[in-house]
Amino acid sequence: MAAARHHGLELDIRDFAGDSEEKTPSPATLARWVNDFGGVAKGMNVNWRHLVRMTNSPPIVLMLSDGSAALMVGAAPERGVVWLRDPLGGEADPPLPVDELRLSQVWKGDILLIKRLRNQSESDAPMNAMWLAKMVLREKKSLRDILFASMTLSILQIFPPLLVMQVVDKVVNQHSMATLVSITAIVVVFSFYEILLSYGRRELTLVLTTRIDTRLSLHLFNRLLALPLEFFEREQAGKILGRVVAIYKVRDFMTGKLMTTFLDMFTLVVILPFLFYMSSTLAWMTVAAAGLIGLIVVIFIGPVGRIYQKQMRADMDRSSILYETVAGIRTVKTLALEPARKQEWDVRTAEVVRWKLAAGRITNWPVTLSQPLDMFISRGIILVGAYLALTGSGSLTAGALMAFMMLGGRVASPLTGLAKLLDDLNEVRTSLGEAGAVLNQPTETKALTMGMRPQIKGALSFIDVNFSYPGSNARALQDVNFEVPAGTMLGLVGRSGSGKSTITRLLQGVSRSYSGYLKLDGVDLREINLTHLRRSFGVVLQDNFLFRGTIKDNITAGRPGFTIDDVVRAARMAGAEEFIERMPAGYDTFIEEGSTNISGGQRQRLAIARAVISDPKLMILDEATSALDPESEALVNANLERIGKGRTMVIVSHRLSSLVNCDQILVMERGQVADIGPHEVLLERCAIYRTLWMQQNRHTASRSAGRSLAEGG
C-alpha cells in the first residue's frame, strides 16, 4: 500500500483477497490485488547483483523471509548498499543503508514492482479488432516458436514430393534397389521430424489459444463488472449476454482459421518457387484458379454480411426470450403463461429460421461457382500436365508431374483458404460490432480505482441538486436542498415517482450526472473513490438477491477478513440469529438459487446482516420492509432502531408508521423537497405528509371516532 501510494494509487485493505493456503501473501497474490485495482504489479525473484542496479524503479517491495516486508527507496551500486524504509513508519523517517551480507540473512530474492497506469490500459481500451490483435501479439514468445516450427515444416514438406519424383524417374524406370533403400531411409527420417514438429506446433498453438482465451475471459468479465448500473437497467439482460458471447466467435476466428491460414502461407512462400521451377505453365494455372475463387468470395462479401447481421439479431432476440422465460419461470408457472411464451418463442424461431435459410442460400452461390475451379486445381492440373508431358511441349517428366501434384495441392489449399477467409470476415465483423455495443460502453473504472478515500461519518448535504434520467426530459430531482448531521435517522416519504429512490441512487454513486453539490461529510460525492464509497455504505433493497451458497458466504458476500464471530454478530444485529440456529446446518445451510428454501422475512434479515457486517456509518434502506408480513416487518423495524445507533440511516418507505421514530422525515413531491422535520411537526405544518398519514391510518381514525361517539352517548 505504501509503494502504491508513492505512485498516487490508493489501495483499500478490505479489497484484498488472499489465498487461504498462504501463511503470508505471496508476490503473485499481491500483484493480482494491485492489478485488479488500477495499478500494474509484477512479482519476481532477483539476486543482489540485479537488485542493487535497480535504481530507476523505486520504491520496490522486498518480501522478507519472516513474512514481513521492506521498501527499497534507493540503491548505490558503487557503495554496494540499498536504502530500505519501514513501510509502517512515516515517510519522513530516514531510510537505512543495508549491504548484501545483512540483507541476505532476511531476504531470499522475492520482490514486487508496482507502478500506476499512465496511459489508457488494455482493460479500458475499446474492444475492437486492433485490441484483439494486440492481445494476440503480446504472446511474442509463443508466436515466435510457432513461426519457427511453421517455417521448418514448410521446408520439410518440399522434400517428400521431390523424393517421389526421384522414385518415379530413377528407381522405377532404372530398377535401382539401392536408390530405393536410400530414399526410403531419407523419407523415414524426414517423416519423423515432420511428425515431431507438427506435434510441437499443435501444442504451442494450443497453449497460445488457451492463454488468449483466459485473458479474454478475464477482461470481458472485468469490463462487464465495470459497466454502470444504468446500462444494465435500460438494456435487456438476454441481449447483453448474447452480444457479449459474440466476442468468442471473433476469438475462435483469430486463433483458429486466421492463424491456420497465415501459418499455411509460409508453405506457399516456400513451395511456390519450386512449382514455377518445375512448370511455370501449371504454376500459373494453379495461382489463377485460386485467384478466381478469391474474386468470387469478395463479390459475395457484402450481400452475405448484410443477411448474416439480420440472422444474428434474430438469434439474439430469440435468446432473450429464452433467458427471460428461465429467469421468470416462477411467474410463468404461477400465471399459466406457458402458451403465451411458447407462441412468442415460435415467432422468434421462425424469424431465425427465415434468415438462416436466406444466409444458407446466398452462401451456397459462391461455393457452387468456385467448385469447378477447385476441381480444376485438384483434378484438371494433372490432365494438363499429362498433355504437356505427352506432347513434349515442356521438360515435365512423369516424376515431376507427380511431385507437382503433391506440392500443388499444398499451395492451392492456403490460396483458397485465404480467399474463403474473407467470407468469414462477415461473421467476425458483425460479432465484433455486437460485442462492442456492450463492452465499449463507458465504464466506471476510473471512479472505482481513483478518488479520495475519506473516513466516512455520515453527514449529508444536498445543495441545488438537479437530476434527469438518460432519455428523459423531465427532471427526477429539481433544486433539492437539505442537510442532516451524522448519526441522523432520516426517513424519505412521498408519492410514487416523487424522487425518493433517486436520492438513494445518487448517494450510492449509481448516477453521477447530476448538477449541484451532493456532499458526504463536506466532500463532494463525485470526488470520492466509488469502491470506497460503496464499501462504506450498507444497502438493503426491497427485493434483495442472495447468491447460491451458504448463509455465512452470503453474509460475508465474498469479502475477505470476516470471521465467524463477525458473521454471528451481524446476524444478531439483524435479528437473523434465531432462525439461523434452528436450521439443520446453521450458518453452513446452503441457500438454493432464488432463495426458495427461506422465507421473504428471513431473506430480508440476511440482507440486513450482510449490510451491517462491515459496520457502515451510513445505511440505506429502500423499501426494505414493504414486501414483508406485519410480524416480520415489526421484527425488522425493531432491529433497525438498534442498528441505527451511532450511524446515519436513510430509510425509504411508503408505510409512514415505520418512520415515526425517525429524527427527520424528508417529504418529496414531484422531485422537490416539500418539507423536512420530525413526525409531529410534519403532521401540523405539511399538508402532503398529513394527507398521506390520514390515508394510511383511516381505520385507526374511524375506530377512535366510534369510541368517542359511544362514550358521548
Side-chain angles (χ1 to χ4, degrees), residues 127 220 223-228 231-232 234-246 316 431-443:
M127 276 184 150
L220 185 149
R223 185 70 66 92
L224 267 181
L225 291 179
L227 292 175
F231 172 76
F232 293 99
R234 65 175 182 264
E235 293 290 335
Q236 195 174 5
K239 288 188 176 181
I240 291 176
L241 294 177
R243 285 173 169 168
V244 167
V245 171
M316 283 195 300
S431 299
L432 194 58
E434 293 296 336
V438 174
L439 300 174
N440 291 334
Q441 292 289 325
T443 66

Side-chain angles (χ1 to χ4, degrees), residues 15 55 66 71 136 176 184 188 205 306 341 349 391 396 408 416-417 485 495 538-539 570 610 677:
D15 297 326
T55 58
D66 61 356
L71 278 178
V136 174
S176 174
T184 302
V188 170
T205 304
R306 287 189 290 271
R341 302 307 294 176
T349 300
T391 58
L396 196 67
T416 54
R495 298 182 178 90
V539 181
R610 180 170 62 187

Side-chain angles (χ1 to χ4, degrees), residues 574-621:
E577 185 183 28
E578 51 91 13
F579 78 81
I580 294 175
E581 291 180 345
R582 292 201 307 267
M583 290 186 166
Y587 288 90
D588 291 323
T589 301
F590 196 85
I591 297 177
E592 302 293 343
E593 185 173 355
S595 310
T596 54
N597 57 333
I598 60 174
S599 68
Q602 291 172 340
R603 183 172 67 245
Q604 288 298 85
R605 280 179 274 173
L606 288 179
I608 294 172
R610 180 170 62 187
V612 301
I613 190 171
S614 58
D615 193 24
K617 293 301 180 184
L618 195 152
M619 285 194 65
I620 298 173
L621 289 87

Side-chain angles (χ1 to χ4, degrees), residues 301-544:
I301 280 181
V304 171
R306 287 189 290 271
I307 290 181
Y308 183 79
Q309 189 171 14
K310 293 177 180 178
Q311 177 197 334
M312 193 170 184
R313 291 283 173 86
D315 208 8
M316 283 195 300
D317 289 340
R318 184 175 67 169
S319 298
S320 298
I321 297 298
L322 179 62
Y323 173 84
E324 214 173 45
T325 303
V326 173
I329 193 65
R330 185 178 298 177
T331 303
V332 171
K333 291 292 184 181
T334 53
L335 297 181
L337 298 178
E338 291 94 338
R341 302 307 294 176
K342 184 179 181 301
Q343 183 179 2
E344 184 73 16
W345 176 261
D346 292 347
V347 171
R348 299 296 184 185
T349 300
E351 191 73 9
V352 171
V353 171
R354 173 193 167 195
W355 289 113
K356 187 172 287 188
L357 184 62
R361 284 173 174 169
I362 195 170
T363 53
N364 195 19
W365 276 106
V367 173
T368 303
L369 293 174
S370 61
Q371 193 170 8
L373 296 169
D374 202 9
M375 289 180 174
F376 174 74
I377 293 173
S378 60
R379 306 171 190 176
I381 291 293
I382 192 172
L383 300 177
V384 176
Y387 172 77
L388 294 176
L390 289 174
T391 58
S393 5
S395 58
L396 196 67
T397 63
L401 180 59
M402 291 293 294
F404 188 95
M405 288 306 303
M406 293 178 67
L407 290 173
R410 295 186 177 184
V411 168
S413 177
L415 281 173
T416 54
L418 184 63
K420 292 177 181 178
L421 198 67
L422 299 175
D423 189 32
D424 295 321
L425 287 176
N426 288 308
E427 180 179 356
V428 170
R429 187 171 54 187
T430 304
S431 299
L432 194 58
E434 293 296 336
V438 174
L439 300 174
N440 291 334
Q441 292 289 325
T443 66
E444 296 179 325
T445 303
K446 186 176 180 181
L448 289 167
T449 57
M450 300 178 65
M452 302 171 61
R453 295 174 182 261
Q455 185 177 358
I456 304 298
K457 296 179 180 178
L460 298 175
S461 60
F462 280 63
I463 305 171
D464 297 326
V465 174
N466 292 273
F467 174 75
S468 298
Y469 285 100
S472 174
N473 295 325
R475 289 185 179 180
L477 295 179
Q478 184 173 354
D479 297 327
V480 173
N481 288 275
F482 69 90
E483 184 175 351
V484 293
T488 302
M489 184 177 288
L490 174 68
L492 289 179
V493 300
R495 298 182 178 90
S496 296
S498 60
K500 305 184 300 298
S501 294
T502 304
I503 288 178
T504 64
R505 288 170 61 88
L506 297 189
L507 285 174
Q508 297 170 65
V510 174
S511 303
R512 289 193 158 195
S513 57
Y514 58 85
S515 61
Y517 297 95
L518 198 174
K519 295 186 177 182
L520 178 60
D521 298 322
V523 180
D524 192 300
L525 210 67
R526 286 170 289 202
E527 300 296 325
I528 300 176
N529 177 278
L530 200 52
T531 301
H532 174 72
L533 177 73
R534 291 173 178 170
R535 283 191 178 274
S536 302
F537 283 9
V539 181
V540 184
L541 305 175
Q542 178 179 354
D543 186 18
N544 292 280

